[in-house]
Amino acid sequence: MLIETNAIVLSTLKYGDSSLIARCYCKELGLKSFLLKGILSSKKAGLKKSLFQPLSLIRLITQVKNENSEGLYYIKEARIHFPLIEIPSDIKKNAVVLFLSEVLTRVITEEGAPNPSLYHFIQKNVIHLEAKRFSPLFHLKFMMELSQHLGFYPNQSEMEENYFDLESGCFCGASPSKYLIGGDLALAFKELLGTNFDTLDDISIPNVLRIKVLGVLIDYFNLHLHGFGKIKSVDILHEIFR
């Protein structure tokens, strides 16, 4: 049966001399891996590599029972669903997309039932990044809001306390926990929780502190997601924002 669905490209991996494997988060199908056979060959007609850049928003047609022996699906047709023009040409937006695509590849790992809420969250904020003025806090807010869809959003019931426990996900008073953050880091967490993507320009977090907050968020994800690991594109992000 042919299925037409919107999809978000999470990552691609070279396969053989002229093919790619694209991991896409599909609105109707959830996470799927597609074999893009011969797409790197200049003589190959049909699908274009440019459709499969990180976090591209596309619409594709696939046959749900046409996977090969390696569990890969084929794309019959694909086209742009929402064009991204600013993101590829803006060095800061592009660096953020590369980082977030790596994060999403780490957290969306199991093929299975779709999650419309998570799909909508990612699509909405890719469009926001494309259309709005860039904020150096965007990726921090994205990770914090992503944690809500993954089940470990910070508990805000005790936000008057001075510390945040990464392990419990709660604000608290002083405790012997080795995963406690306080001072400017805890204040930055509170600021990010208290704003939305449209009002990020209303808060100011210096670059040195942003780097620390990002490190804490990655630690937070590692505590709550087995196998999240190290994000390689962090160094690129720091270099661009330096």
Side-chain angles (χ1 to χ4, degrees):
M1 179 174 66
L2 290 176
I3 294 289
E4 185 170 2
T5 179
N6 290 345
I8 301 163
V9 179
L10 299 184
S11 64
T12 58
L13 178 68
K14 191 173 181 183
Y15 184 83
D17 293 329
S18 61
S19 301
L20 292 175
I21 294 173
R23 290 172 63 80
C24 300
Y25 195 56
C26 304
K27 184 177 181 180
E28 308 295 337
L29 302 171
L31 179 65
K32 294 294 178 190
S33 296
F34 297 96
L35 178 60
L36 310 176
K37 197 169 183 179
I39 196 169
L40 300 180
S41 172
S42 60
K43 297 179 181 178
K44 180 74 174 180
L47 297 176
K48 302 298 182 184
K49 182 185 174 183
S50 58
L51 285 169
F52 298 93
Q53 300 305 307
L55 300 193
S56 289
L57 304 176
I58 64 175
R59 188 162 182 83
L60 61 84
I61 298 176
T62 186
Q63 191 164 354
V64 295
K65 292 184 179 181
N66 71 343
E67 71 269 25
N68 64 20
S69 59
E70 297 177 82
L72 301 172
Y73 287 69
Y74 296 100
I75 295 177
K76 182 178 175 62
E77 296 178 25
R79 65 182 186 274
I80 291 293
H81 171 60
F82 185 93
L84 302 181
I85 299 168
E86 280 270 326
I87 287 173
S89 61
D90 184 303
I91 190 171
K92 292 182 178 179
K93 289 187 177 185
N94 190 249
V96 165
V97 157
L98 291 175
F99 169 77
L100 293 179
S101 67
E102 187 177 355
V103 168
L104 290 168
T105 298
R106 298 291 183 90
V107 302
I108 304 174
T109 57
E110 294 185 8
E111 298 199 8
N115 182 334
S117 177
L118 177 57
Y119 182 90
H120 177 72
F121 165 77
I122 300 169
Q123 177 181 268
K124 176 184 176 182
N125 287 300
V126 170
I127 292 173
H128 179 100
L129 181 62
E130 165 67 23
K132 303 294 184 179
R133 190 173 75 170
F134 177 74
S135 167
L137 301 177
F138 180 89
H139 58 298
L140 304 179
K141 183 62 176 175
F142 187 100
M143 284 190 74
M144 192 163 278
E145 295 304 310
L146 177 61
S147 72
Q148 185 167 24
H149 294 270
L150 302 174
F152 52 93
Y153 191 65
N155 187 320
Q156 300 181 61
S157 61
E158 304 289 340
M159 282 186 66
E160 73 279 0
E161 298 290 355
N162 294 326
Y163 299 92
F164 181 73
D165 187 339
L166 298 177
E167 189 170 33
S168 69
C170 298
F171 288 92
C172 60
S175 90
S177 171
K178 63 180 180 179
Y179 300 111
L180 216 61
I181 63 167
D184 289 342
L185 277 173
L187 289 173
F189 255 59
K190 291 178 183 181
E191 284 192 297
L192 286 168
L193 284 168
T195 191
N196 57 52
F197 285 99
D198 288 322
T199 57
L200 283 175
D201 285 343
D202 294 343
I203 62 175
S204 177
I205 299 177
N207 186 48
V208 172
L209 185 55
R210 287 201 307 267
I211 291 172
K212 293 179 180 178
V213 171
L214 180 55
V216 167
L217 281 167
I218 290 172
D219 289 343
Y220 188 48
F221 272 58
N222 269 301
L223 280 168
H224 294 273
L225 291 174
H226 177 71
F228 183 73
K230 182 181 179 180
I231 304 299
K232 298 177 182 178
S233 53
V234 165
D235 293 339
I236 297 173
L237 207 58
H238 291 340
E239 183 67 26
I240 295 297
F241 287 170
R242 189 172 63 178

